[in-house]
Amino acid sequence: MPGTLVARGIHQRFGDRVVLDGVDLEVPPGRVVGLLGPNGAGKTTLMRILFGVLSPDAGSVEWDGRPATDHDRRSWGYMPQERGLYRDMPVLEQLVWIARLHGLTAAEGEARARRLLEQLGLAERAKDKVQDLSGGMAQRVQLAAAMVHEPPLLVLDEPFAGLDPVAVAFLSAVIREHVAAGRNLLFSSHQLDLVEDLCEEITLIDRGKVVLSGNLAALRAASEERYLRVSVHVEDDWVDPGLAVVRSRNAAGSRLRLAPGADPGAVLDLVRAHGPVADFGVEAPSLSELFLDAAGHPVDEPGGDEPAPGGVAEAAR
Amino acid sequence: MTSWWAATWLVAARELRQAARSRGLWATVAVLFLGSTAAMVLPEVFSGDDRSSYDVAVVLDDGDVELAALEAAIVQIVDAIDADVEVTEAPDVDTARQQVLDEEVDVAVAVADPPRILVRAGTFERLVGALRQALATQALVDGLLDAGLEPSEVEALLAAPPAEVEELDTEAERRQGAAFLLSLVAYVLILMLMVNVANGVAVEKGNRISEVLLAIVRPGPLLYGKVIGLAIVGFVHLAAGALPVVVKMLVGGDLPEGLGGALAGGIVWFALGIALYLLLAGALGALVERQEEASSVVSPLSLMLIAAYFAGATSADSPVAAVLAYIPLTSPMVMPSRIAVGAASGVDIVVSALLSVVAVVVAARVSAVVYRRAIVRTGRRLKLREVLGS
């Protein structure tokens, strides 16, 4: 497919552990693609394979309708999950150096780096060392390092981890701007609720297998599941389990999963019998509910024998 | 995409730029330069005993002896040790003693019966020897004249020139000293840079910088660039130390013969040694990801280096050193010393150098494999065996 990144049948094992078990992924141009799943699902390993940092045991990576070459890969931009910058190197110098590794001249690299720093609000800090920046600023420099050569494909591994809401909004805007220019973008996240509004295409991955993939709006519309959202805290025994089950509660209220054929109005009446409801809605499943349905467990509760989140991120060979 | 070489050079250039920012680096460069300059200049300033010109005071207590005759005898004898002498007369022994103590003159001679030579303890042994010979000759002349020989006959007897002293092999010791200093500098530099390379690799792995870079360049340029960059730092140090020696050589200062050869050998093996050790250190550094672990992971290499250094420094001409001079990991420390003491033949030198070059090529390949495999395996310290076996 022209201008599309496609991974097919990726298998990867480390020792006895199967990390990826026949994963397919497609990143078309002009779309925000989310690679989503719990920690330890294999997202980072898949991204490393896309970039040739790891060679998979089986499977292929294609770009623009043919096997991806080293040359293709060097043209892409990658922001790894764990931030990687030389802490004792000045910001601008570091960006220019990375641009030159991508094959730009020093002058081109400097022009682009300055433009990018301006755009990311870091122009003032160009001469500062990375270690003198705040965490949020260092994160933006990291993003700049991935984008300084104006890559056709940008791959961001857990870009939202640890960001405050302002930074999340900022990064989301950068991501939308990138794809609006007809370029490709893939990012990973385990915080499904956070990226719900950003993703256009999703690939949900769990324990090394794709459990659901496609256009998010289409997947939601196609789902038989319907949820009743109410602005009150609903106890389990308020509603007959044959009609609806409380699936989540938070400060904003509760979400009840409606049984097939159940009348939302009848369920709402049962809730209202316990108190006034200021706001409610019947909704298609959220991203985390889609994951739950597809994987059989919530995204923040690893099912089965997963390694603990944040544990050994080992990658052999 | 950049070419392999361009990427390697970019990585090396970054190391150089970072090193140039470090004050510690400039401090060691300065210490080497100043130390070497001092070693070159100080012997010229305080050239000690083996000067080419001496001052001698003479006290004439004995009325029979004429200053001119004694002076002539002294000049002739001292000439035999390739030196000039300035003879002055002192009024009495006490004055002469004070002149010696004040270093106004080097030695004082009191012509009495028996004659005395005044000299500060432990100095001017050769001059003292020459003066004793001059006094003895003078006494002999006086005796012969007293016995009735004609002055012309005595002169004829003494016309035979005095035995000249030919000093053999004084240069070897100085050359060995120079080689010793050179291998000390090489040893310290390799040790320092080895830890630097391992440390840099470990930090890049720990900070996940390697992950960003591996998405852009192959592992080879990352490893080789770092090694090349830090090797250049090593050569800058060496150059700082060698510059004063070369300058002294060019202006024709007093340096041991054959020092140039010993230096050239030292530099060749320094290059081979630094390439070999830094490549291996880079591979070992990829096994760990914390700064504290970096120096411990290279400790087998450090021990090897220390052992080789001591073998070269203490017994360069022993049979053990002869064997070590062929083994690539030890030859960089041992071979230069053997060249300096003249224990290495041309064949030895060529074969040892070739073995080292082969070892560097093999180390470059093996290290790249270890680095490539280990740099992406994070989370715990790896063992070399499991990396090579996987």
Side-chain angles (χ1 to χ4, degrees):
Chain A
M1 243 172 289
T4 298
L5 174 76
V6 180
R8 282 189 220 282
I10 305 290
H11 281 267
Q12 178 73 58
R13 58 164 65 230
F14 298 139
D16 308 334
R17 203 156 58 88
V18 176
V19 178
L20 294 173
D21 188 7
V23 171
D24 297 324
L25 175 73
E26 202 175 298
V27 185
R31 315 285 291 165
V32 177
V33 183
L35 175 63
L36 311 172
N39 285 318
K43 303 186 296 293
T44 297
T45 303
L46 180 58
M47 288 182 164
R48 285 175 168 179
I49 287 170
L50 295 179
F51 276 87
V53 174
L54 291 173
S55 316
D57 297 330
S60 64
V61 178
E62 290 171 20
W63 173 244
D64 219 4
R66 52 181 173 68
T69 62
D70 278 355
H71 185 271
D72 295 330
R73 290 178 160 126
R74 302 305 169 249
S75 75
W76 305 341
Y78 180 42
M79 185 170 91
Q81 175 177 7
E82 296 179 73
R83 310 297 171 228
L85 287 171
Y86 288 108
R87 295 172 48 74
D88 53 356
M89 215 173 157
V91 171
L92 180 66
E93 187 181 318
Q94 184 144 215
L95 292 179
V96 173
W97 184 70
I98 287 173
R100 293 189 68 194
L101 283 178
H102 279 291
L104 273 65
T105 65
E108 278 175 320
E110 176 156 358
R112 290 191 192 179
R114 284 194 185 280
R115 214 180 310 144
L116 207 46
L117 288 177
E118 189 75 42
Q119 186 189 339
L120 298 177
L122 288 168
E124 310 279 289
R125 312 302 298 266
K127 299 250 184 267
D128 292 355
K129 288 182 178 173
V130 173
Q131 64 200 9
D132 299 331
L133 302 183
S134 70
M137 284 182 182
Q139 154 86 9
R140 275 182 272 164
V141 175
Q142 192 78 54
L143 184 65
M147 297 176 71
V148 69
H149 58 299
E150 296 177 359
L153 165 66
L154 190 54
V155 176
L156 312 173
D157 194 0
E158 293 281 358
F160 296 105
L163 293 193
D164 61 50
V166 176
V168 168
F170 182 84
L171 182 58
S172 300
V174 173
I175 287 174
R176 288 201 180 92
E177 200 175 316
H178 183 83
V179 298
R183 289 174 292 203
N184 306 56
L185 188 134
L186 174 69
F187 77 94
S188 70
S189 182
H190 67 282
Q191 299 159 283
L192 270 48
D193 298 330
L194 189 68
V195 300
E196 178 128 30
D197 298 333
L198 181 63
C199 290
E200 294 171 295
E201 309 289 326
I202 58 162
T203 292
L204 296 184
I205 178 171
D206 184 42
R207 277 177 276 176
K209 286 189 169 149
V210 174
V211 292
L212 190 67
S213 72
N215 181 277
L216 180 56
L219 287 171
R220 294 172 75 168
S223 171
E224 309 266 298
E225 306 284 341
R226 283 297 174 270
Y227 288 78
L228 176 66
R229 174 181 54 81
V230 290
S231 61
V232 292
H233 187 94
V234 179
E235 297 295 342
D236 283 343
D237 58 3
W238 289 4
V239 182
D240 175 3
L243 282 177
V245 183
V246 178
R247 282 307 274 280
S248 64
R249 302 181 184 93
N250 60 26
S254 310
R255 277 174 80 84
L256 292 82
R257 181 179 161 181
L258 299 169
D263 175 12
V267 177
L268 182 60
D269 286 343
L270 288 174
V271 173
R272 282 161 72 184
H274 290 85
V277 174
D279 187 21
F280 65 92
V282 178
E283 297 175 347
S286 69
L287 204 40
S288 35
E289 285 155 356
L290 282 177
F291 182 88
L292 175 62
D293 288 340
H297 64 90
V299 71
D300 48 3
E301 273 174 36
D305 53 350
E306 291 300 305
V312 177
E314 185 172 325
R317 291 167 53 137
Chain B
M1 188 179 93
T2 44
S3 75
W4 193 93
W5 273 111
T8 304
W9 176 245
L10 275 169
V11 173
R14 198 200 76 85
E15 293 296 334
L16 284 173
R17 220 175 12 244
Q18 287 298 106
R21 286 210 179 97
S22 135
R23 277 194 204 134
L25 171 113
W26 290 113
T28 47
V29 166
V31 165
L32 273 171
F33 181 76
L34 295 176
S36 172
T37 305
M40 292 301 109
V41 171
L42 292 185
E44 299 287 332
V45 178
F46 306 103
S47 49
D49 294 7
D50 289 336
R51 287 204 312 237
S52 54
S53 170
Y54 298 104
D55 293 313
V56 174
V58 174
V59 183
L60 296 174
D61 270 3
D62 190 334
D64 293 349
V65 178
E66 286 177 29
L67 179 63
L70 184 61
E71 184 173 352
I74 289 173
V75 166
Q76 189 185 16
I77 300 272
V78 171
D79 187 52
I81 58 169
D82 278 334
D84 299 325
V85 66
E86 184 79 25
V87 178
T88 52
E89 190 177 356
D92 51 58
V93 174
D94 287 340
T95 310
R97 179 175 288 121
Q98 200 54 47
Q99 282 178 336
V100 170
L101 287 174
D102 294 346
E103 299 183 37
E104 283 173 33
V105 298
D106 299 324
V107 177
V109 178
V111 182
D113 194 18
R116 272 189 293 165
I117 296 175
L118 308 173
V119 62
R120 275 173 297 124
T123 60
F124 305 110
E125 283 169 28
R126 295 173 66 194
L127 180 62
V128 169
L131 291 173
R132 290 174 74 164
Q133 195 188 346
L135 288 170
T137 307
Q138 195 56 43
L140 183 63
V141 169
D142 292 345
L144 290 172
L145 288 173
D146 288 350
L149 263 68
E150 289 300 313
S152 59
E153 288 175 298
V154 173
E155 208 169 303
L157 278 174
L158 293 177
E164 285 193 21
V165 178
E166 189 179 345
E167 292 191 316
L168 300 175
D169 217 21
T170 52
E171 304 294 276
E173 204 173 323
R174 297 177 64 195
R175 211 161 52 220
Q176 200 174 349
F180 173 81
L181 276 179
L182 186 69
S183 59
L184 179 67
V185 169
Y187 158 73
V188 170
L189 283 177
I190 291 178
L191 200 62
M192 176 182 96
L193 294 170
M194 201 165 68
V195 173
N196 240 317
V197 167
N199 203 11
V201 171
V203 165
E204 281 169 15
K205 183 179 179 183
N207 288 353
R208 304 295 189 273
I209 300 159
S210 51
E211 199 152 327
V212 175
L213 300 181
L214 284 171
I216 311 175
V217 291
R218 305 264 84 207
L222 285 186
L223 174 63
Y224 299 149
K226 186 174 278 295
V227 167
I228 291 170
L230 286 168
I232 292 174
V233 169
F235 272 96
V236 169
H237 279 89
L238 197 67
L243 187 65
V245 183
V246 172
V247 167
K248 188 168 179 181
M249 225 177 256
L250 291 178
V251 301
D254 178 31
L255 283 170
E257 227 170 282
L259 180 70
L263 273 184
I267 288 168
V268 168
W269 262 272
F270 176 69
L272 290 168
I274 210 164
L276 190 57
Y277 274 93
L278 296 198
L279 281 167
L280 296 177
L284 293 178
L287 300 178
V288 300
E289 47 191 300
R290 276 205 301 273
Q291 210 159 337
E292 319 70 278
E293 293 172 326
S295 54
S296 78
V297 82
V298 296
S299 57
L301 287 179
S302 311
L303 286 176
M304 177 80 89
L305 192 68
I306 292 168
Y309 167 70
F310 276 107
T314 56
S315 52
D317 49 1
S318 68
V320 174
V323 175
L324 293 181
Y326 275 99
I327 301 173
L329 276 171
T330 52
S331 64
M333 292 287 105
V334 178
M335 200 46 149
S337 302
R338 283 178 66 77
I339 296 174
V341 300
S345 72
V347 176
D348 286 342
I349 292 172
V350 171
V351 171
S352 165
L354 285 178
L355 284 176
S356 276
V357 170
V358 170
V360 168
V361 173
V362 171
R365 301 201 155 219
V366 173
S367 295
V369 169
V370 172
Y371 179 88
R372 178 163 51 81
R373 290 180 184 172
I375 196 80
V376 290
R377 291 174 70 167
T378 57
R380 68 191 170 83
R381 184 172 173 158
L382 302 167
K383 291 202 170 68
L384 191 56
R385 195 179 305 155
E386 63 182 319
V387 174
L388 284 171
S390 63

